[in-house]
Amino acid sequence: MTLEPLSPKPADGAATLLTVWKAAQARLKDGRIDSPAIDARLLLEAAAGASRTDILTDPYRIVTPEQQAAYTAMIDRRLRREPVSRIVGKKGFWKIMLNVTPDVLSPRPDTETLLDVALLAFARHEAFTAVDLGTGSGAILLALLAERTAAKGVGTDISTEALAVAKENAANLDLNERATFLRTEWAAGFGDASFDLVLSNPPYIPTDHIAGLDPEVRDHDPHLALDGGPDGLQAYRDLAPEIRRILKPGGVFAVEIGWDQGPQVKALFEAEGFADVKIVKDLGDRDRVVTNGPDPRTNPIPQE
C-alpha cells in the first residue's frame, strides 16, 4: 500500500516543506553543522508550524513567504553556531519538553544518566523527597517528578532568572504542586538529614578550558553553569560536605561529572564518609555520574 501525499505536487519552483527542508540541509551541511538533516527538520517544524509527520506525509505542502523568511533566519542563526534549543526556545530532556533561555544550561542527553540512577533507587509509587542543587531549567528535578508521582522535590539556584524558567517549566508540566524552587547557594538553609535523594549537575569545566568548547556551548550557555574553577572540581569540594549533611541516613546522592573526573570526585565523597561510592558510565561509555546508589549499567531499571 502506497501512502499518497496529502497535498498535490505543486508547480516547479514552489516552496514546499520538502524543498525548503532539503535546501536548508544543504546549507547546514556546507556550513559543517553536525546533524544537518535533524537540525533543519526541527527548525522547519518551528518556522512552519509543522510536525515531523507533516514533513513525511505532506511534503508538498506550500510554505508561505512569511514562513520561509522565518526559516531562513533560523538557519542563518544555526550557521552562526547558535544551538537549535536557543533558536526555538525549547529542548527535550528525558520524556519532557522544557523552555530554555540564555539564563539556563541547555540540558544534554548525558545528564539523563542521573535519572537512570534515581529511578532505579526509588520504586515507581514510592514517596520520597528530592533536591536538585543548581537546578537551572529544572530539567533533572522535573523529569524525576514526572516519573515518580508520589515524590516531592526542591530545586535550588543562585540565579533568579534561572529559577523563573524552572518555575515556568514546572507549571507547564503541571508539576508545580510537587516542585518548589528556592534561591540559595547549593544547600544553604536546609536542615540536616532533609532529603532522601540529592541530585546535581554542577559546573565542572576547568576555567581555562571554556575558551576551547564548541561555540554552541561556549557562546550560548551561561558561564556560571560551566566554570568549575581552575581544576574543574571546586563545586564538588563545596558539595560533598553539604550533601553529606542534608542527606538522610540511607539516602542516595548522584552528581554529574566530566568524563575524566571520576576518581577525583569519588575520593572527595569517600573523604566525607560515604560508603560504596561508584562511578557510573553514560550511554557513550564515558564516566558520567558519581553516586552511592545503584549502577544502572550493571543493574538495569526494571521494565514495569
Side-chain angles (χ1 to χ4, degrees), residues 70-120:
Y71 189 42
T72 298
M74 289 180 173
I75 296 298
D76 289 343
R77 290 171 67 182
R78 185 68 189 101
L79 285 167
R80 294 194 292 269
R81 303 297 293 271
E82 190 171 348
V84 171
S85 60
R86 297 284 182 229
I87 298 170
V88 303
K90 293 185 180 296
K91 181 70 183 287
F93 178 77
W94 196 255
K95 299 177 185 177
I96 61 177
M97 185 63 69
L98 299 157
N99 291 340
V100 293
T101 74
D103 298 305
V104 299
L105 196 73
S106 189
R108 292 171 176 78
D110 291 342
T111 302
E112 294 180 352
T113 310
L114 288 171
L115 274 297
D116 291 335
V117 173
L119 296 179
L120 186 56

Side-chain angles (χ1 to χ4, degrees), residues 161-245:
E161 294 80 8
L163 290 171
V165 176
K167 289 174 183 177
E168 182 181 19
N169 283 326
N172 290 342
L173 294 163
D174 200 25
L175 292 171
N176 45 326
E177 294 295 319
R178 293 190 287 125
T180 305
F181 295 97
L182 298 175
R183 186 176 185 274
T184 189
E185 186 169 4
W186 298 129
F190 292 124
D192 296 355
S194 293
F195 297 98
D196 300 295
L197 173 67
V198 181
L199 301 170
S200 186
N201 177 19
Y204 55 73
I205 308 297
T207 304
D208 62 2
H209 290 189
I210 291 175
L213 296 174
D214 287 343
E216 286 87 344
V217 177
R218 180 191 67 219
D219 299 337
H220 297 284
D221 277 335
H223 280 210
L224 187 67
L226 299 173
D227 192 341
D231 63 356
L233 299 174
Q234 187 55 50
Y236 304 105
R237 295 189 188 97
D238 297 337
L239 281 169
E242 280 291 88
I243 289 175
R244 181 68 175 169
R245 181 181 68 81

